[in-house]
Amino acid sequence: MENAATLSTLRRAGRFFRKNRPISEDCTHCQTFQQGELLEVSIPSIRCAHDAKGECIMCNYGIGTSISNTTSFLAEVEQLLADATFKTLLFSTNGSVLDDRNIPWSTLQALLLCAVHSKAETIIIETHIDSITDEKLNWLANALSGQKLVIEVGLESTDSFVQTNCFLKPINIADLLQIIHQAKLRQIEVQCNVLLGAPFLSTAQQLRDVEQTIRWCLLQGVSVVVFPVNIKPFTTLWYLHHRGGYPQLSAWALVWLLNRFTMQELQKIDIAWFGNRMDGYRECTIPQPILPTGCPLCNQRLQDFFNAYMLYTQGEQRLALLTQLLKHADVLGCLCWEKLQSAVKQSDVFVEHDTVYQQQLCLINALKADFPYYF
């Protein structure tokens, strides 16, 4: 099978596994998540346009409904912002905040003006690069000139082969560089989301890919958020995991990655979805995501470290936390850290294209065997 046909089949699998996905819990109101001084407000919307195409093998941003009453919704958000204590305000949605298909531009403008009058010192907008235009950048720069403004985009990897064949999420690097340039001209910062745990790669290859991507981001003057893979229901990755083709990510992989960077670099590297969040569905029978984890002996220590890492924003503090964790890694009573280091050493760090193609075909053969009426 040609690679183009393989990718087409994998996108079809993405649509197949998502077609019976229920509507997200309480999709008519904004959902919030808070960690320290960061408040995330998730705005209800229809599904992501890329999700609908079957792209992004790992993603399940959920599916909701559009805002039915803009006036009451804005009043709800205004009250929420007045009651909450925060310094950084992050806006997210089921797709892209700047995509008019997810949130009408006029509604978003009104929402952001509410944020301008809130206690937010920093406002972050999470969106896909294809939803960013010069016109919107101009409006954002003018309307939010009193706050630090950050646009958070999903990059995942700078390796085009990994983007296309492992994540099914091609990102044009030239387009991203132009967005970074245009944002800087308007004093808008860009933050790139990077995914740790690419399917079809070994542990060493996953870590090398993420490290190289982070270093590229830092070289461009943009900060980073590392997302260790959560294996979510209604995704092809969920099926691949239960078929034995994708192991649960060790939380120690994130520790190993952070340990590759200096104090100054750590200050620009945040982490998210490291085991501290769950998805919400009305049906209690729907399984929760499979999170990156350690064993019963070390997992709580790791979660304590990750949470503390995000509470401390200075590089010196983060490095001290990391140093302290690794200093006591051998007395936690388990071999998880040792096993992770061994896995890194045992495999080639360079991505082997033929091996990825072979694993893709194994996945497709499994799909044909399990769902012959569809594939």
Side-chain angles (χ1 to χ4, degrees):
M1 183 182 289
E2 295 294 329
N3 185 245
T6 298
L7 295 177
S8 177
T9 302
L10 293 179
R11 286 191 292 270
R12 190 179 184 192
R15 296 192 297 272
F16 172 73
F17 288 118
R18 290 166 179 155
K19 68 177 183 177
N20 294 319
R21 174 180 49 187
I23 290 178
S24 300
E25 184 178 3
D26 194 16
C27 63
T28 59
H29 300 280
C30 59
Q31 300 294 300
T32 62
F33 172 80
Q34 185 152 12
Q35 181 161 36
E37 296 178 333
L38 182 145
L39 175 66
E40 179 178 350
V41 177
S42 182
I43 307 161
S45 76
I46 61 171
R47 71 194 298 187
C48 171
H50 298 275
D51 175 288
K53 296 176 184 176
E55 296 177 353
C56 305
I57 193 172
M58 64 292 173
C59 282
N60 177 14
Y61 270 89
I63 181 170
T65 57
S66 300
I67 299 169
S68 57
N69 187 317
T70 302
T71 302
S72 61
F73 178 77
L74 291 173
E76 174 192 343
V77 173
E78 191 171 3
Q79 187 62 52
L80 186 157
L81 298 182
D83 294 341
T85 301
F86 60 93
K87 290 185 178 180
T88 299
L89 180 60
L90 165 62
F91 285 113
S92 64
T93 189
N94 297 97
S96 293
V97 171
L98 293 180
D99 190 331
D100 295 346
R101 291 168 293 186
N102 291 118
I103 306 171
W105 178 232
S106 59
T107 301
L108 180 60
Q109 287 174 307
L111 180 66
L112 291 173
L113 290 176
C114 287
V116 166
H117 299 295
S118 75
K119 56 183 72 72
E121 298 175 7
T122 299
I123 296 175
I124 305 174
I125 297 171
E126 185 179 20
T127 201
H128 194 284
I129 66 167
D130 65 9
S131 65
I132 302 171
T133 65
D134 285 346
E135 292 75 16
K136 288 182 178 179
L137 288 177
N138 287 336
W139 187 90
L140 292 169
N142 290 326
L144 281 68
S145 59
Q147 281 93 358
K148 175 182 175 181
L149 176 60
V150 181
I151 294 182
E152 182 178 354
V153 299
L155 170 60
E156 320 313 348
S157 171
T158 50
D159 187 321
S160 60
F161 179 85
V162 172
Q163 289 178 0
T164 301
N165 291 278
C166 299
F167 292 132
L168 300 186
K169 184 180 179 180
I171 295 292
N172 189 307
I173 296 296
D175 289 347
L176 176 57
L177 285 170
Q178 181 63 17
I179 287 169
I180 292 171
H181 174 68
Q182 291 299 325
K184 285 182 177 180
L185 290 178
R186 298 165 172 83
Q187 285 74 54
I188 298 173
E189 296 187 13
V190 175
Q191 188 171 54
C192 289
N193 294 341
V194 175
L195 203 60
L196 169 58
F200 313 125
L201 302 187
S202 68
T203 300
Q205 291 164 352
Q206 290 172 341
L207 287 165
R208 178 180 181 272
D209 175 66
V210 178
E211 181 181 346
Q212 287 190 329
T213 299
I214 293 173
R215 295 198 183 284
W216 181 90
C217 291
L218 297 178
L219 190 62
Q220 310 312 314
V222 303
S223 58
V224 175
V225 184
V226 181
F227 287 69
V229 165
N230 289 213
I231 307 171
K232 298 190 174 187
F234 307 108
T235 65
T236 306
L237 192 62
W238 179 270
Y239 171 79
L240 183 62
H241 169 74
H242 288 282
R243 258 293 193 153
Y246 184 85
Q248 181 180 21
L249 186 71
S250 168
W252 285 101
L254 183 53
V255 175
W256 188 98
L257 178 68
L258 294 173
N259 194 43
R260 298 287 294 173
F261 294 95
T262 66
M263 175 178 68
Q264 292 79 11
E265 291 167 336
L266 289 174
Q267 187 160 325
K268 298 180 180 180
I269 303 172
D270 288 344
I271 57 177
W273 289 88
F274 46 78
N276 58 330
R277 300 182 66 171
M278 291 289 186
D279 286 334
Y281 285 104
R282 290 190 179 97
E283 293 84 350
C284 61
T285 57
I286 295 175
Q288 286 291 335
I290 299 170
L291 309 176
T293 189
C295 73
L297 293 173
C298 67
N299 190 56
Q300 189 56 55
R301 180 69 182 87
L302 287 169
Q303 290 302 312
D304 291 345
F305 163 72
F306 295 141
N307 280 298
Y309 180 93
M310 281 306 295
L311 289 175
Y312 293 108
T313 58
Q314 298 301 309
E316 184 177 5
Q317 298 168 313
R318 290 176 165 182
L319 181 59
L321 288 168
L322 181 60
T323 302
Q324 187 73 4
L325 174 68
L326 293 176
K327 181 180 178 181
H328 296 97
D330 58 346
V331 296
L332 292 174
C334 68
L335 299 176
C336 294
W337 175 234
E338 183 178 325
K339 288 179 180 178
L340 187 281
Q341 294 181 93
S342 178
V344 172
K345 294 176 182 177
Q346 286 177 2
S347 64
D348 193 340
V349 297
F350 296 100
V351 176
E352 298 174 353
H353 293 195
D354 287 344
T355 301
V356 172
Y357 293 146
Q358 290 169 9
Q359 292 189 61
Q360 288 176 334
L361 291 176
C362 286
L363 170 57
I364 289 173
N365 288 334
L367 290 167
K368 290 178 178 179
D370 289 344
F371 309 103
Y373 57 90
Y374 194 84
F375 293 98

